[in-house]
Amino acid sequence: MTILKKRPIRAALLGVLVLGGIALAISFSDLRHAFLHEDMTADMATSDAPAAKGERRILYYRNPMGMPDISSVPKQDSMGMDYIPVYADEASAEGTVKVPVEKVQRAGVRTAPVRSTILSRTIRGSGTLTMNESRVSVATAKFDGFVSKLKVRTTGERVTAGEPLMTVWIESPDVLRKMADLASLKTGNRTAKLAADNLRQFDIPEADIAAIAKNGGSSRIVTLNAPSTGTVMQKPAMDGMRFAAGAPLFQISDLSELWAEIEVPEQDLGLIRKGQSVTLRLPSRPGEVFEGKVSFIYPDINMASRSGRVRVVVANADGALQTGLFVHAGIAAHLDADPVLAVPTAAVIDDGKRQVVFVARGDGIFEPRDVALGGRAGDLIEIRDGVDEGEEVVTHGTFLIDAESKLQSALAAFSAKGEDQ
């Protein structure tokens, strides 16, 4: 019985202790909340109160991670980082951006001067080597006949002007009649000279004309000679073949000078001029560079590739280059004949609607300027309006300055709105 009476007493005591602990915890929580509320009220009062004489006045607090978020009182972000105070003496002048010098140095902000220069760039293209059309000749006959015997039997052979190419048998009665006229005349008289000139019109060699005038009679077999020095590129003529007057029997090309026909993009054609220097590189000859000049710009456009053709004259005195070789070309082109103002392309922030550069004014102050752009050449871009020669523009760290500019603009608008209220 005694034991049964003690158990309810112990349970009652335990209940009293639990209820007392809960009450004590609630009281401590209320007390802590009251203290915190008092501290926050004091901070707000301190922030709103005017700064004492000689103290720096805080305008607002900004996000420590650079987010567009500000506060009129001290606070922390989601990661527990304190917001950074912005003081009145740090505010930038209207239309400029002020960045602390130490921040500029940490971010590696660099500048470059606006300078006057002639912008030039290399236009890239590719093409093939071809024969120089102005150095191509054809050996033919001005009468009907047959090929009696070839003196030059294969393509690719080099010949010199006047060298025998083949002997032919003359079929034309007209030519045979003119030969007979010359044979019947005395050498040296005027009529004989006219008869000899008639044979020259048919490209009868001088040796054959002299033999007819001296010995009399006519010769149905004559020799046809090379009309120029060069390489035999085509040879339709074969032993025993019949040919008609004017038929091409040999094609001879002087390969000491070639053409490179280069295709360039349509948008670059306006920058190409006759006489511009061109460097040529051939996959078949790695490491070698050949020089040439633009000699002609073709008047037509390839509609499928939207490209134009440019002709470049290439010296080939040693015959090292062959027609048909593929070439890569670089054409040195000036965007303008006169110097223009230019800055590095990295200095320009282009959002599609505006183009802006930041002009450095010293002591961490930067001024955003709207600019009008011109042509681009390598890592430079023309500035037609907005800056003056010699001014320093930001080339590295532009996005940091741009972010600061946008943030300060937003904060200024917030501050102005607060003052209106």
Side-chain angles (χ1 to χ4, degrees):
M1 288 295 292
T2 305
I3 295 174
L4 291 176
K5 288 181 180 179
K6 287 181 179 179
R7 286 181 179 175
I9 296 172
R10 291 178 181 175
L13 290 173
L14 181 61
V16 170
L17 290 174
V18 170
L19 291 175
I22 293 174
L24 181 62
I26 292 174
S27 300
F28 180 77
S29 175
D30 291 342
L31 183 61
R32 178 176 179 274
H33 179 74
F35 285 156
L36 288 176
H37 179 72
E38 183 179 353
D39 288 343
M40 291 179 65
T41 304
D43 286 342
M44 292 179 65
T46 302
S47 176
D48 293 337
K53 186 176 181 180
E55 293 182 0
R56 300 175 70 191
R57 185 170 66 90
I58 297 176
L59 294 179
Y60 45 78
Y61 298 83
R62 64 185 180 92
N63 189 287
M65 300 301 293
M67 302 295 291
D69 179 29
I70 62 174
S71 172
S72 59
V73 296
K75 71 172 189 176
Q76 295 181 335
D77 64 3
S78 58
M79 295 186 293
M81 298 177 65
D82 292 329
Y83 271 49
I84 300 171
V86 177
Y87 297 94
D89 58 0
E90 290 181 342
S92 59
E94 185 177 358
T96 62
V97 182
K98 183 174 178 59
V99 182
V101 176
E102 61 274 9
K103 190 172 185 180
V104 170
Q105 294 173 346
R106 287 198 306 270
V109 175
R110 295 199 294 272
T111 63
V114 179
R115 58 192 179 95
S116 178
T117 184
I118 294 179
L119 293 181
S120 62
R121 66 184 182 90
T122 301
I123 297 174
R124 302 294 179 183
S126 59
T128 55
L129 295 180
T130 65
M131 293 183 294
N132 185 332
E133 294 176 5
S134 65
R135 299 190 175 203
V136 177
S137 61
V138 174
T140 186
K142 296 180 179 179
F143 48 80
D144 297 341
F146 293 85
V147 176
S148 177
K149 185 178 181 180
L150 292 174
K151 302 292 185 180
V152 177
R153 309 195 66 84
T154 60
T155 58
E157 290 190 46
R158 285 187 57 82
V159 297
T160 57
E163 179 182 340
L165 296 177
M166 60 186 171
T167 57
V168 298
W169 189 85
I170 300 174
E171 183 185 20
S172 171
D174 191 27
V175 175
L176 295 174
R177 186 166 50 252
K178 293 181 184 303
M179 287 182 175
D181 291 343
L182 176 61
S184 64
L185 299 171
K186 290 182 179 181
T187 303
N189 76 25
R190 184 172 180 275
T191 306
K193 291 181 179 179
L194 291 174
D197 287 340
N198 286 335
L199 289 177
R200 292 188 183 96
Q201 299 302 316
F202 287 91
D203 290 337
I204 303 300
E206 289 293 333
D208 292 327
I209 294 174
I212 294 170
K214 181 179 179 180
N215 302 324
S218 61
S219 175
R220 296 185 73 107
I221 296 179
V222 296
T223 301
L224 293 185
N225 299 325
S228 63
T229 298
T231 302
V232 176
M233 304 302 293
Q234 295 181 18
K235 187 195 69 62
M238 294 181 291
D239 288 338
M241 182 187 78
R242 185 182 187 280
F243 58 84
L249 302 175
F250 283 83
Q251 185 191 78
I252 301 169
S253 178
D254 179 6
L255 301 180
S256 63
E257 187 177 271
L258 300 178
W259 286 350
E261 294 195 346
I262 308 300
E263 289 199 9
V264 297
E266 178 182 0
Q267 63 267 24
D268 292 332
L269 284 175
L271 299 177
I272 298 178
R273 302 287 185 272
K274 289 179 65 174
Q276 289 174 335
S277 298
V278 183
T279 56
L280 300 172
R281 290 177 171 81
L282 286 71
S284 61
R285 302 175 71 90
E288 295 186 53
V289 178
F290 298 86
E291 303 292 335
K293 291 187 178 296
V294 175
S295 64
F296 186 74
I297 303 170
Y298 287 88
D300 59 326
I301 293 290
N302 185 323
M303 300 298 289
S305 62
R306 303 307 305 176
S307 61
R309 285 186 303 155
V310 174
R311 180 193 302 162
V312 180
V313 177
V314 184
N316 187 37
D318 59 357
L321 302 178
Q322 296 86 31
T323 59
L325 287 176
F326 188 80
V327 297
H328 297 289
I331 304 173
H334 294 314
L335 273 63
D336 201 306
D338 301 320
V340 297
L341 293 182
V343 299
T345 54
V348 180
I349 297 178
D350 188 349
D351 64 0
K353 295 181 180 179
R354 296 177 62 202
Q355 294 78 42
V356 177
V357 299
F358 286 97
V359 177
R361 296 176 57 177
D363 297 327
I365 298 176
F366 302 90
E367 180 184 353
R369 298 264 190 92
D370 287 336
V371 291
L373 304 181
R376 297 172 185 259
D379 61 349
L380 294 178
I381 185 168
E382 178 187 357
I383 303 294
R384 295 180 176 174
D385 187 39
V387 293
D388 296 321
E389 184 176 0
E391 289 187 306
E392 294 283 333
V393 295
V394 177
T395 58
H396 294 271
T398 51
F399 288 102
L400 166 69
I401 308 301
D402 185 46
E404 288 286 340
S405 174
K406 292 177 180 177
L407 177 62
Q408 290 185 18
S409 296
L411 296 179
F414 176 86
S415 179
K417 182 177 179 181
E419 290 177 1
D420 291 341
Q421 293 177 350

